[in-house]
Amino acid sequence: MTIRSSLAIALVVFCVSTVRAQVIKSVPPDDRFKADILVVVAHPDDETEVAGYLARAIFDEHKRVAVVFGTRGDGGGDAEGQEQAAALGAEREIEARRALGVLGVTNIWFLGAPDTPGQDVLRSLETWNHGSALGQAVRLVRLTRPEVILTWLPHYVAGENHGDHQASGVIATEAFDMAGDSTAFPEQLAAPRDRDNIGNLTEGLHPWQPKKLYYFTDASNPGFQAGKGPRYSTDDESPSKQVPYYRIAAEEMSYHLTQGDTGQMAAAAIRKGDYTYFRQPVLLITGKSLVQGSITGDIFEGIADKPAPFSPSPGYKPVERSGLSMELGGPWAFYRLFWQAHGLAQLGGLLPDVGVNVFPGERIQIPVLIHNDSDSEATFTLAADVPSGWTEITGAGSYLAPAHQSVELYVKAKTSAAAGNEPQDLVIRAEGAGARIVPITIAVHPDRAALPQ
């Protein structure tokens, strides 16, 4: 063996030994952002709906909480000054950060969507740029790695029922089902080429499957929630703070001073020492659970300190129909498909009736879908039975539905300005092609805020 060959062998052995000696350690996720609970809501002040529970979880159960707001609340009135639009949103972001500071929550994000007035979730998903907002939400689930997600109920309820509230619930549900999927937003999961250098365009996150998903709602009548999820009293005293949880919830809300029905109301309640409003229990609806536990048990029941495997949602499956049929369109039609696709069948039977809230004298429009699943075009007639005193009724008439297509129409009317306190029924009927088409009944609830007390 020549000297040159010996040197070459020695160099190879040295290089192999050096490579074997180098142990490359993976970099763990940044634990500063780990959350036990991720709250996903639409506007600054929405978190107040569950603040009485969050105070318990944070101060006395030592849970880590993070919050995602879909908007900065740049719409609505200003009870403190004349600032509006983007300036109002800037103020409300600060109010939200100060309010959550009462609970010690500092990990707070805003998706930057516009505050969209109305009750139609589809309008809000459009203005929020649904895909972009969902990508951000999935990113934040992967960053915070929550065990539990709390969000607004993705349902059309008779109550405040803001379309943005519903949109946050839709996006939170989708993020719950997608954050653990390695094919969803894969650019978030690809490792950066050099984390110590600039110019990295991939994010280095990891898939994450939350274990539980809970909903809350601002429905006028909360009775339907009984037995559908955990119930937390706000009358209990916090052992660490030595005040009732309702007192902490009132203080947290009192920072939202640009909003008369939350911050101003809370500040007045504190001045007067009248905490009646805040003594309502926090009611949650169990949406999904990937662990063993009861429907009404504590939200951390059954949760162990280990990651959960990815649990895919059932996915969308076309509905099988025949002949002519009719259903509510718009958000109602969307939700029937959404619940099925995300394994939330229990939400379909949650409410006792289909209801909407309106101000006396307000104009409403109800979307109606007529499906023609036959091989021939069909003519059908639409009619509406409206309560006494309603005017400006449009939408009734005869229509042609092409074969294997659906027609979406709107029944529009102006409600009576003399509405009482009881709900009234709006009935929509359709006839055609000798088919028996089930009518639609909608309970129209007067908005009690507009009625004399």
Side-chain angles (χ1 to χ4, degrees), residues 51-373:
Y53 166 70
L54 295 179
R56 177 192 300 267
I58 292 168
F59 295 127
D60 299 311
E61 297 175 358
H62 309 294
K63 303 299 184 184
R64 294 163 291 183
V65 173
V67 179
V68 175
F69 292 103
T71 79
R72 288 182 169 83
D74 53 303
D78 186 346
E80 279 287 290
Q82 69 173 3
E83 292 79 13
Q84 282 291 309
L88 178 61
E91 289 185 343
R92 287 185 171 173
E93 177 176 345
I94 298 302
E95 287 181 338
R97 294 186 186 279
R98 290 174 178 174
L100 285 163
V102 171
L103 302 177
V105 177
T106 56
N107 288 347
I108 303 164
W109 291 272
F110 292 80
L111 302 186
D115 191 340
T116 306
Q119 296 187 330
D120 189 335
V121 63
L122 301 178
R123 286 166 50 91
S124 291
L125 289 173
E126 172 67 22
T127 62
W128 281 30
N129 193 343
H130 188 175
S132 175
L134 175 58
Q136 293 182 69
V138 169
R139 174 182 293 113
L140 292 171
V141 171
R142 289 167 170 169
L143 178 65
T144 59
R145 295 167 288 131
E147 308 301 316
V148 176
I149 293 178
L150 305 183
T151 190
W152 284 110
L153 178 68
H155 206 318
Y156 198 110
V157 300
E160 181 181 348
N161 193 44
H162 202 300
D164 288 349
H165 292 181
Q166 300 172 63
S168 67
V170 166
I171 287 171
T173 301
E174 292 172 330
F176 181 97
D177 286 340
M178 295 176 70
D181 182 350
S182 294
T183 67
F185 303 101
E187 67 281 2
Q188 298 178 3
L189 304 175
R193 295 182 179 181
D194 181 358
R195 72 183 187 91
D196 293 322
N197 211 331
I198 62 174
N200 291 300
L201 295 177
T202 48
E203 302 181 32
L205 294 172
H206 300 278
W208 181 262
Q209 176 63 68
K211 300 180 178 74
K212 288 188 178 184
L213 175 64
Y214 289 94
Y215 301 119
F216 49 88
T217 178
D218 54 11
S220 299
N221 185 353
F224 68 89
Q225 298 179 72
K228 300 300 191 298
R231 178 186 187 278
Y232 293 99
S233 170
T234 58
D235 279 328
D236 296 343
E237 183 172 293
S238 165
S240 62
K241 295 295 183 180
Q242 298 184 335
V243 295
Y245 292 117
Y246 66 73
R247 180 65 179 80
I248 302 172
E251 183 183 356
E252 196 273 343
M253 185 186 285
S254 70
Y255 281 84
H256 294 283
L257 289 173
T258 58
Q259 307 196 53
D261 58 351
T262 53
Q264 295 287 344
M265 182 268 288
I270 293 172
R271 287 195 303 269
K272 297 174 183 177
D274 180 3
Y275 297 98
T276 304
Y277 173 84
F278 301 93
R279 299 182 72 166
Q280 302 173 70
V282 174
L283 303 175
L284 299 176
I285 298 167
T286 301
K288 290 193 171 196
S289 177
L290 306 183
V291 300
Q292 293 295 319
S294 61
I295 295 294
T296 58
D298 182 74
I299 70 171
F300 285 95
E301 180 182 34
I303 290 181
D305 188 20
K306 61 180 181 180
F310 172 57
S311 178
S313 61
Y316 166 73
K317 295 179 179 60
V319 178
E320 294 186 6
R321 294 183 298 257
S322 61
L324 276 179
S325 60
M326 176 176 65
E327 65 174 336
L328 281 171
W332 290 280
F334 162 68
Y335 278 134
R336 283 189 288 273
L337 302 177
F338 179 80
W339 298 330
Q340 178 264 319
H342 290 275
L344 297 166
Q346 77 276 20
L347 298 188
L350 189 62
L351 297 179
D353 56 29
V354 176
V356 298
N357 258 42
V358 299
F359 293 106
E362 182 182 1
R363 290 178 173 83
I364 65 170
Q365 51 184 10
I366 303 298
V368 179
L369 272 174
I370 299 290
H371 303 289
N372 181 7
D373 293 288

